[in-house]
């Protein structure tokens, strides 16, 4: 076995030019395949993950903030929009609302814990049904003054983080969302006044609105089975007028799926066209490469090598080169796509949740299997066309 591998490597070195061409095509093929599978899989995973946790039938936001609110649901990107907390108080006792909660957030404040800025979110633990589904380790106690919940992307030291000079105990960490929610820190609503003062002391810029205590950013509610959303919204208008826009978080899942279908179709069509062209290039390249070696094959047969062993050796050469190229393509794809996964989600305006280690390894194995099959098919066709020639025919044609 060792001798066979050494021999194959030696043959690759002696046919360096052809090996480089084959390797380059394998790199392009695997890179294209890897990018297509990874992006499609990550978008689908992100959508499935988000669909389970969209959490509310209705989200009310200040008038004119609908687009920003939809971006919040799609990618987790927060913006600064506020309205009076009294709106929330007026809606809490509407008959037909099963559960209702409010949130307020301060967009992108610098913090000691992280290299990048973090999103500060205030929520009511007693009424919340939006944050809880994302939490990996459930908490039951009331969120204390010096306690926080953090997003998946926040780095922890001994279950605590440092914000504006103070230590806060982390009682729970959210599951990965694939959006900017991963860089959020969640405080109880009662902590807002004190935290705003600390942020100002540390030199953070806050607008006049953000400094006020009686403002919220959004109201979420679910409707019970006996009531309709339209009836509840009519009552909302009666109580607080037309000061709000409406977002339907659960319905956004339909637009997720529609957008994913379009993106997948583009990726699939591009993959089919690109894959087909690469397959033809591989077929032509390998045929020309192996046809040039018919004298070498003839001499091997004259020296007593069997057709079977020649086929194995030449196939082995192409598989080593092809799989090496495949691994290089996957490595390049990983360097490009994995570090910028959050940016891709923002660019596509969709939740983007990359694969875990096991899923990532499965994708790599699948791609290498596909490359092996393609190399085997294209190589065997070319190798057989040369091996089937009688030695004297091959030598005569070479002459």
């Amino acid at each position: 076995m060792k001798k066979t591998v050494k021999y194959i490597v030696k043959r690759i070195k002696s046919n360096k030019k052809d090996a480089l061409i084959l390797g380059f095509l394998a790199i392009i093929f695997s890179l294209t395949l890897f990018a297509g599978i990874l992006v499609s899989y990550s978008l689908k995973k992100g959508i499935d993950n988000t669909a389970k946790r969209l959490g509310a039938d209705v989200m009310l936001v200040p008038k004119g903030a609908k687009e920003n609110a939809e971006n919040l649901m799609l990618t987790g990107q927060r913006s600064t929009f506020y309205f009076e907390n009294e709106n929330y108080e007026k809606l809490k006792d509407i008959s037909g609302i099963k559960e209702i909660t409010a949130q307020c957030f301060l967009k992108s404040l610098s913090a000691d814990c992280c290299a990048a800025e973090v999103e500060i979110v205030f929520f009511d633990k007693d009424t919340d049904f939006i944050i809880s589904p994302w939490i990996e380790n459930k908490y039951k106690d009331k969120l204390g003054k010096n306690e926080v919940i953090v997003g998946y992307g926040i780095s922890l030291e001994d279950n605590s983080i440092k914000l504006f000079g103070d230590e806060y105990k982390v009682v729970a960490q959210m599951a990965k969302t694939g959006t900017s929610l991963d860089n959020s820190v969640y405080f109880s609503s009662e902590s807002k006044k004190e935290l705003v003062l600390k942020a100002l002391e540390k030199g953070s810029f806050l607008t006049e609105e953000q400094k006020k205590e009686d403002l919220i950013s959004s109201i979420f509610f679910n409707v019970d089975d006996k009531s309709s959303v339209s009836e509840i919204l009519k009552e909302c208008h009666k109580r607080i007028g037309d000061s709000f826009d409406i977002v339907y978080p659960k319905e956004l899942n339909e637009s997720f799926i529609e957008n994913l279908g379009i993106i997948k179709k583009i990726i699939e069509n591009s993959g089919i066209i690109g894959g087909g062209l690469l397959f033809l290039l591989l077929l032509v390249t390998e045929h020309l490469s192996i046809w040039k070696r018919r004298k070498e094959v003839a001499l091997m047969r004259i020296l007593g090598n069997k057709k079977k062993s020649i086929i194995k050796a030449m196939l082995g050469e192409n598989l080593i080169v092809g799989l090496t190229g495949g691994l290089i393509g996957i490595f390049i794809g990983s360097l490009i796509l994995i570090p910028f996964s959050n940016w891709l989600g923002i660019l596509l305006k969709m939740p983007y949740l990359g694969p875990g280690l096991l899923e990532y390894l499965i994708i790599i194995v699948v791609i290498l299997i596909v490359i092996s099959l393609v190399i085997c098919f294209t190589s065997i066709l070319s190798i057989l066309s040369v091996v089937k020639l009688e030695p004297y025919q091959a030598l005569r044609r070479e002459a």
Side-chain angles (χ1 to χ4, degrees), residues 10 32 37 47 57 86 92 94 121 123 146 172 188 237 258 278 280 304 308 332 335 353 372 384:
K10 187 180 175 183
T32 306
I37 292 174
I47 288 169
D57 293 327
E86 65 180 26
K92 284 167 75 172
I94 292 178
V121 184
F123 76 108
N146 293 311
S188 65
H237 281 292
E258 188 179 339
L278 282 168
L280 289 173
K308 192 176 179 181
I332 294 169
L335 288 180
L353 191 56
S372 298
L384 286 175

Side-chain angles (χ1 to χ4, degrees), residues 101-345:
T101 193
Q103 289 183 10
C104 176
F105 46 82
L106 304 178
K107 182 175 180 281
S108 296
L109 292 179
S110 59
D112 310 350
C113 67
C114 313
E117 294 184 325
V118 298
E119 312 281 357
I120 304 292
V121 184
F122 301 99
F123 76 108
D124 186 348
K125 161 66 174 68
D126 296 329
T127 61
D128 172 67
F129 59 92
I130 302 296
I131 307 301
S132 300
W134 292 97
I135 298 170
E136 290 181 331
N137 302 309
K138 297 292 181 184
Y139 69 101
K140 296 178 182 177
D141 299 329
K142 187 177 176 66
L143 196 63
K145 183 176 160 185
N146 293 311
E147 294 178 333
V148 294
I149 294 165
V150 298
Y152 180 87
I154 301 291
S155 300
L156 302 180
E157 290 183 13
D158 299 323
N159 285 329
S160 67
I161 61 169
K162 197 173 184 182
L163 293 162
F164 314 120
D166 287 346
E167 292 280 343
Y168 292 89
K169 181 184 176 184
V170 175
V171 296
Q173 187 161 22
M174 294 172 69
K176 190 173 183 180
T177 68
T179 70
S180 61
L181 292 175
D182 293 335
N183 295 317
S184 297
V185 181
Y186 296 83
F187 286 83
S188 65
S189 300
E190 295 82 10
S191 304
K192 184 183 176 186
K193 182 179 179 181
E194 187 178 337
L195 194 76
V196 166
L197 288 173
K198 287 179 183 176
L200 290 170
E201 285 172 11
K202 292 295 179 181
S204 294
F205 173 77
L206 296 177
T207 64
E208 289 304 313
E209 279 188 316
Q210 289 175 319
K211 295 174 188 176
K212 294 179 181 177
E213 289 182 58
D214 59 345
L215 294 180
I216 57 174
S217 299
S218 54
I219 300 168
F220 299 89
F221 64 80
N222 280 324
V223 177
D224 64 32
D225 296 334
K226 295 176 183 177
S227 306
S228 70
V229 171
S230 59
E231 288 171 354
I232 300 297
L233 288 174
K234 281 179 187 176
E235 185 60 28
C236 290
H237 281 292
K238 284 180 187 176
R239 296 196 182 196
I240 61 173
D242 295 323
S243 62
F244 61 88
D245 278 341
I246 305 162
V247 178
Y248 299 96
K250 290 178 181 175
E251 289 185 8
L252 283 175
N253 189 46
E254 293 177 13
S255 69
F256 287 162
I257 294 168
E258 188 179 339
N259 289 340
L260 177 62
I262 294 167
I263 292 169
K264 280 184 77 174
K265 198 166 184 179
I266 292 169
I267 291 170
E268 285 169 6
N269 290 340
S270 301
I272 290 167
I273 295 167
L277 288 172
L278 282 168
F279 178 83
L280 289 173
L281 275 171
L282 275 169
L283 191 61
V284 172
T285 300
E286 290 190 44
H287 181 75
L288 291 173
S289 171
I290 291 168
W291 187 252
K292 284 193 299 185
R293 296 172 63 185
R294 57 189 182 276
K295 181 180 177 182
E296 176 191 333
V297 172
L299 290 172
M300 287 170 72
R301 289 193 60 196
I302 290 169
L303 291 171
N305 289 284
K306 293 181 180 178
K307 288 183 181 180
K308 192 176 179 181
S309 63
I310 295 170
I311 292 169
K312 278 184 181 179
M314 297 185 84
L315 184 58
E317 288 176 42
N318 287 350
L319 278 173
I320 288 174
V321 173
L323 290 174
T324 302
L327 287 170
I328 293 170
I330 291 166
F331 178 71
I332 294 169
S334 300
L335 288 180
I336 295 169
L337 294 172
I338 293 176
F340 301 104
S341 57
N342 288 340
W343 179 80
L344 272 171

